[in-house]
Amino acid sequence: MSWLLAITTVAAFVQQWGPLSPALAHAAAALHPQPLLAFALAVPPTPAVDATSLHVASLLAGDWARVATSAFVHSGALCAALSCAVLLQTGGVLERAFGPLVLLMHVGAAAGGVAAGQLLMQPTPESIAGPAVACGLAASLLVHQLREGIRPLVVTRTSWAALTLLPALSAVQPMLGPWGVAGGCVGGALAALTWSPLLSVLRVCVFLPLFLAAAVLEAVGDVAGAAPRVVAQALSAVLVFAWRVLAAVAGAFRAFR
């Protein structure tokens, strides 16, 4: 799952910067530093970013999917590369320890925390969540180690980089903002504290109805498969009963004569 998330991040980044690739190629050929610096650190003004970033108006209209899609919008190539490294290393540790579903729960909780922090504390017309989700995963790994009593804390190199560089980026990137990073860290920490009861609730609310539906469908299939045999047995019993009734009536009629 960590690999799938990293590949999705790369694919989203390519889609977001795709319309500007001719301009970037021209800037690289002419050795113009400003477009290349923007590619490294900025959010591109493209339709793909507009369609996936977090908009207050979209959330008010019920488009809650942007909470998830904004987790794949990053501020430049360096930020996207660091987020992929966090997903592969820190996310890989979480996935190996708890499974892919729990990793998705951590990513979702971090994305929700980013959205809450940005909307409540620093409302802007448009915001992104990718870098803050990486910080949330790093924070969740630290909280897991604290809960398990691991001393000293084992911090991966990508986690250190995310927790030091991305908050600095948030100070100069208004589409991310310090409150977005703080919300992502809080969301990741809460996921580390509550993943077990949340997983139990998820099993009851989602997997139990699916299991019951599968059991009902299996029972219906068994009944449908046995229906011809049951009908044939019932018809045979009816014919035998009718034959015996007719034989009894005929015998009584002969005795009366």
Side-chain angles (χ1 to χ4, degrees):
M1 182 58 67
S2 57
W3 276 98
L4 180 60
L5 292 173
I7 292 172
T8 304
T9 299
V10 173
F13 183 80
V14 172
Q15 182 185 19
Q16 291 155 15
W17 278 94
L20 300 178
S21 56
L24 291 173
H26 177 73
L31 299 178
H32 291 163
Q34 188 172 358
L36 299 179
L37 185 62
F39 176 74
L41 297 174
V43 179
T46 57
V49 171
D50 186 66
T52 54
S53 58
L54 194 64
H55 294 268
V56 176
S58 300
L59 291 182
L60 294 178
D63 189 8
W64 291 97
R66 287 180 179 267
V67 175
T69 58
S70 65
F72 298 99
V73 184
H74 291 81
S75 184
L78 296 179
C79 177
L82 180 56
S83 291
C84 287
V86 171
L87 286 170
L88 292 175
Q89 189 176 34
T90 304
V93 172
L94 293 172
E95 183 177 7
R96 288 189 295 271
F98 305 104
L101 182 59
V102 176
L103 173 60
L104 281 179
M105 292 171 59
H106 283 68
V107 173
V114 176
Q118 290 172 334
L119 295 176
L120 296 177
M121 305 304 297
Q122 55 175 42
T124 57
E126 187 177 9
S127 56
I128 63 175
V133 170
C135 290
L137 284 180
S140 67
L141 182 59
L142 295 179
V143 173
H144 276 296
Q145 294 181 16
L146 288 173
R147 289 192 63 190
E148 296 171 5
I150 298 177
R151 301 290 188 281
L153 297 178
V154 180
V155 184
T156 61
R157 288 172 292 182
T158 56
S159 294
W160 272 121
L163 292 174
T164 54
L165 298 179
L166 295 180
L169 173 65
S170 69
V172 296
Q173 176 52 271
M175 293 180 67
L176 177 61
W179 287 107
V181 173
C185 292
V186 171
L190 288 177
L193 294 172
T194 61
W195 70 270
S196 182
L198 285 178
L199 188 60
S200 300
V201 172
L202 185 64
R203 286 170 177 168
V204 172
C205 295
V206 177
F207 297 114
L208 182 59
L210 291 177
F211 173 76
L212 293 177
V216 170
L217 290 176
E218 184 179 3
V220 170
D222 292 341
V223 171
R229 178 171 52 85
V230 173
V231 171
Q233 291 177 349
L235 182 60
S236 176
V238 169
L239 291 176
V240 171
F241 177 75
W243 174 256
R244 289 179 178 177
V245 170
L246 291 175
V249 170
F253 182 74
R254 285 196 300 269
F256 177 75
R257 293 183 60 187

